[in-house]
Amino acid sequence: IYSNLYRFLFKISNSIVDCHLAISKRIYEELIDDYLIDANKVSCIINASNYLQNIKNNYEVMEDGYLSFISVGTLSKRKNYNKLISLFKNNNKIKLYIYGEGEEKEFLLNEIKRYDLSENVFLMGFNPNIIDEIINYDCYITLSKSEGISRAMLESLQVGLPLISSDVSGVDECIKVGINGFILKNEKYKEFNKYINIL
């Protein structure tokens, strides 16, 4: 349904716009190959972000003895936070701080209780100055089911945080596996604990 809607919107808008902006190489190729947009009317902005920050050089964890993760985004099914929370249930030496508000908030609070993770997983609410918070954590993580490209991920890269992400659009342009992060390529995320040990 979404694919057909996008095709229709691109088709009717193509004649009245000067340029389509793609925020990853994958989207750039989709516009040209799948949506048949003239390549002369498509520009690709790779790793676009409004922020430039000092590089993180202190990797002491927020709380002694814990590895701290940050995730940012609307609390929605698309962000797959329920699966992300479940990854933290078997390791009491890692903590997850989720920034954002949304319709899934009550459900996620119940998931935290169900897994007995009230000391390890925290819903932090919306923070308009999130860029100032990112540098305080040890790793950025997202299990989103779909993305254009995550601005919070780009901001995390800019301050030098390693990344762990599901395999969504644009991620392979941000993450150099084993250098600045890891990509979880299957929905069971079996490699998560291995990456925790490496981090």
Side-chain angles (χ1 to χ4, degrees), residues 21-25 28 43-49 149 154 173:
L21 296 178
I23 56 176
S24 76
K25 288 179 183 176
Y28 174 82
S43 290
C44 185
I45 301 175
I46 300 173
N47 295 355
S49 177
I149 196 166
L154 297 178
E173 296 167 40

Side-chain angles (χ1 to χ4, degrees), residues 88-144:
F88 284 72
K89 66 184 178 182
N90 296 321
N91 190 332
N92 62 5
K93 292 298 184 181
I94 55 178
K95 293 196 174 189
L96 171 64
Y97 298 80
I98 300 172
Y99 286 84
E101 293 287 348
E103 61 191 24
E104 291 272 288
K105 185 174 184 177
E106 289 302 317
F107 171 70
L108 296 176
L109 285 170
N110 288 331
E111 290 292 279
I112 292 169
K113 289 178 184 176
R114 180 164 77 96
Y115 292 121
D116 193 25
L117 287 171
S118 60
E119 298 297 318
N120 296 82
V121 177
F122 308 92
L123 300 187
M124 306 297 288
F126 175 74
N127 187 330
N129 301 311
I130 193 63
I131 188 64
D132 297 325
E133 292 293 329
I134 288 174
I135 201 167
N136 295 320
Y137 295 87
D138 298 306
C139 182
Y140 184 86
I141 187 167
T142 176
L143 292 188
S144 186

Side-chain angles (χ1 to χ4, degrees), residues 31-131:
L31 289 176
I32 295 169
D33 298 336
D34 297 342
Y35 298 117
L36 305 179
I37 302 297
D38 183 349
N40 294 323
K41 295 186 76 172
V42 183
S43 290
C44 185
I45 301 175
I46 300 173
N47 295 355
S49 177
N50 296 327
Y51 299 99
L52 194 59
Q53 294 290 307
N54 294 326
I55 297 299
K56 180 181 177 73
N57 55 25
N58 178 2
Y59 276 93
E60 292 181 6
V61 294
M62 289 184 66
E63 298 176 64
D64 190 32
Y66 293 92
L67 190 65
S68 60
F69 290 80
I70 181 173
S71 192
V72 181
T74 304
L75 305 183
S76 65
K77 290 182 179 179
R78 181 177 65 85
K79 287 292 187 177
N80 207 19
Y81 281 126
N82 61 320
K83 183 61 181 178
L84 178 58
I85 289 169
S86 73
L87 292 183
F88 284 72
K89 66 184 178 182
N90 296 321
N91 190 332
N92 62 5
K93 292 298 184 181
I94 55 178
K95 293 196 174 189
L96 171 64
Y97 298 80
I98 300 172
Y99 286 84
E101 293 287 348
E103 61 191 24
E104 291 272 288
K105 185 174 184 177
E106 289 302 317
F107 171 70
L108 296 176
L109 285 170
N110 288 331
E111 290 292 279
I112 292 169
K113 289 178 184 176
R114 180 164 77 96
Y115 292 121
D116 193 25
L117 287 171
S118 60
E119 298 297 318
N120 296 82
V121 177
F122 308 92
L123 300 187
M124 306 297 288
F126 175 74
N127 187 330
N129 301 311
I130 193 63
I131 188 64

